[in-house]
Amino acid sequence: MPNSTLLTTPPRHWGKLAARWLGSWWRMLHLGAVALVLAASTSGWHRAERLAVSRRIHAGTWQVLPWFTLLTALVSLVIIRIVLVTAQSYGLSRYALEMVVRVLVLELIPLSAALFAALRAGLAFDAAAIGLDRIGVDPAAVTGAALQRLRRDLVPQLVADAFSVLSLAMASSVTVLVLAYLNVYGLSPWGLSDYTRTVGRVFDPVVTVGFVLKTVLFGLAVAVIPSAAILELLRRPRRTGSSVQPGALRLLFVLLLIEAGSLAVKYI
């Protein structure tokens, strides 16, 4: 519920405003559940849907995966060197590798992949193409063809966005693990035993399940929230001067909430 709306609304209308806000969240959860059911239903996957999914996965994942992984590797390399040098200066070299894995692989990379996928695909929609540029007009002015196109492309877009987050996070995590080994042990194969022992100690069964679950939740959030915001805008057009994409603030809030919940479960 935006604070500006709450402050400018008379107290007698606060209940109605809260009900509308809760209804918006409920419709978002409902959309996510329906999309998951449709995605899991093999009877609804025809050749056209499969082609749509493959095109969107190619555009949202394959085209950006190499240079996103390269950019992540460069930034991670700087962070790894900083951590190693700092740990050596304090005599804590044996903890440096574990710290790199916990901070980069478990926390920063999944969140970075989710934010990147949101900017690249989840929030990058053509408002004019589906009639959303006419915000504030009567709902009947939004053409039936635009709504039909939105329904046709919704599930493929959700699947592609979720897949993008998972792929970017996993590919970048593997790259960072390789860079961490090279920075700590160099090209020598003799550090492999100690390295696998340290990484295995970090990725115990509970942490591994939590890491996968958090990444999946990131992917679902990136896939569902922007689409739900677009549908909400079609359902209840309103005049606004904001240049923020629909669902951007809510998506950021949910991503930070998932990350905070993951940290709380692991370290508190």
Side-chain angles (χ1 to χ4, degrees), residues 60-75:
T61 302
W62 182 249
Q63 289 183 350
V64 301
L65 182 61
W67 63 269
F68 175 81
T69 305
L70 177 61
L71 179 61
T72 304
L74 293 175
V75 175

Side-chain angles (χ1 to χ4, degrees), residues 153-265:
D153 294 341
L154 180 59
V155 173
Q157 184 66 53
L158 296 180
V159 173
D161 291 346
F163 182 83
S164 176
V165 175
L166 293 173
S167 301
L168 295 177
M170 296 304 175
S172 299
S173 297
V174 172
T175 303
V176 170
L177 288 175
V178 173
L179 289 176
Y181 179 87
L182 294 177
N183 276 271
V184 175
Y185 301 102
L187 297 176
S188 172
W190 306 115
L192 191 59
S193 176
D194 184 58
Y195 174 79
T196 54
R197 190 181 306 113
T198 302
V199 175
R201 187 168 59 247
V202 174
F203 280 94
D204 59 41
V206 176
V207 172
T208 302
V209 172
F211 172 74
V212 174
L213 179 61
K214 179 177 72 172
T215 307
V216 170
L217 291 177
F218 278 164
L220 292 177
V222 169
V224 171
I225 294 177
S227 300
I230 298 173
L231 290 174
E232 181 75 12
L233 208 57
L234 285 173
R235 179 180 178 274
R236 193 187 299 273
R238 60 186 183 275
R239 298 183 183 275
T240 177
S242 176
S243 59
V244 178
Q245 297 282 19
L249 298 180
R250 180 173 295 186
L251 176 60
L252 180 61
F253 171 76
V254 172
L255 292 179
L256 294 179
L257 187 64
I258 295 172
E259 180 64 28
S262 173
L263 292 173
V265 169

